[in-house]
Amino acid sequence: MTNKNTRALALTALYAAGAVVTLYLGTVIPTMGLTFAALAALFTATSVIEGGMKYGVLCFGAAALLGLLLIPIRSGPILYATFFGAYPLVKSIAERQRSQLLGWGIKLGVFFAALIVYMTVLRELFLGEIVPMDWAWPFIVLVVTAAFFVYDIGLSKLIDFYLVRIYRQGR
C-alpha cells in the first residue's frame, strides 16, 4: 500500500467516524435529524475527493453500517443509508457526464426513486390513515423536489469550498 493510499484510507476512516458522530447529533437534537443526515453526506463527498470513488463507497458503507448498529434512534442512519450517504457518489458520477442534462437526469432519477420508496414505506407502515388527500401529493412532490435542488446546489457549494480552502491548501 502506497503512502497516498494509506493517507486516503486513514482519512476515509476519520470521515466515516465523523459521519457517525454527525448522525448521532441528529438523535441529540431530534428535530434536526434530517439536517444532520444530509450534513453527514459531506463526509462521503470528501472521501471521494481525497481518495476516489472506492474510498467514497468505503466511507459510505462503514458510516451507514456503524450508524445503523450504534445509534439508537435509527431515522437519521436510515436516511443516510438509503439516500444522503450514497448521494455524493451518484452526484460524482452524474457530474462527470458530458451532458449536464444527462447528469441532472441521473440525479433526479435517483432522487425520485428514493422518494417513491419513502412515500410507499411511509404510507404503508407509518402514516396509515393520516396520509394527505390525493390532491396534496403533487404539491408535496413539488416542495420536496425544490428542496432537493436547494440541497444539490448547497452540497456543490460546500464541495467547492472544501476543494478551494482545504484540499488545495493541504497539497
Side-chain angles (χ1 to χ4, degrees):
M1 187 173 259
T2 66
N3 198 19
K4 184 179 179 183
N5 289 341
T6 304
R7 180 182 188 280
L9 185 60
L11 283 173
T12 298
L14 288 172
Y15 292 145
V20 172
V21 168
T22 303
L23 290 170
Y24 180 74
L25 287 173
T27 65
V28 174
I29 310 168
T31 57
M32 297 292 288
L34 178 65
T35 302
F36 281 111
L39 286 174
L42 288 171
F43 292 100
T44 305
T46 54
S47 289
V48 172
I49 292 167
E50 291 289 345
M53 191 64 74
K54 73 177 181 179
Y55 290 101
V57 170
L58 184 62
C59 178
F60 161 64
L65 182 64
L66 289 171
L68 289 168
L69 289 174
L70 299 176
I71 298 174
I73 300 171
R74 292 197 170 60
S75 57
I78 288 171
L79 287 169
Y80 178 83
T82 58
F83 180 73
F84 288 112
Y87 186 69
L89 304 171
V90 171
K91 184 175 177 62
S92 177
I93 292 167
E95 292 182 355
R96 291 181 190 164
Q97 303 303 313
R98 291 179 189 221
S99 165
Q100 274 190 328
L101 188 60
L102 177 60
W104 274 106
I106 292 169
K107 291 189 280 189
L108 283 170
V110 169
F111 169 72
F112 283 123
L115 184 61
I116 289 168
V117 169
Y118 288 145
M119 297 294 237
T120 304
V121 169
L122 283 174
R123 177 181 272 179
E124 296 299 321
L125 297 179
F126 301 112
L127 295 179
E129 296 300 318
I130 61 170
V131 174
M133 300 295 185
D134 287 338
W135 60 266
W137 285 111
F139 178 73
I140 292 168
V141 170
L142 184 66
V143 169
V144 173
T145 302
F148 168 73
F149 278 108
V150 170
Y151 174 70
D152 181 81
I153 293 166
L155 184 60
S156 293
K157 297 285 185 194
L158 290 170
I159 290 169
D160 289 344
F161 175 81
Y162 181 84
L163 285 169
V164 170
R165 298 288 182 167
I166 298 169
Y167 183 72
R168 290 207 172 86
Q169 297 293 333
R171 302 279 166 214

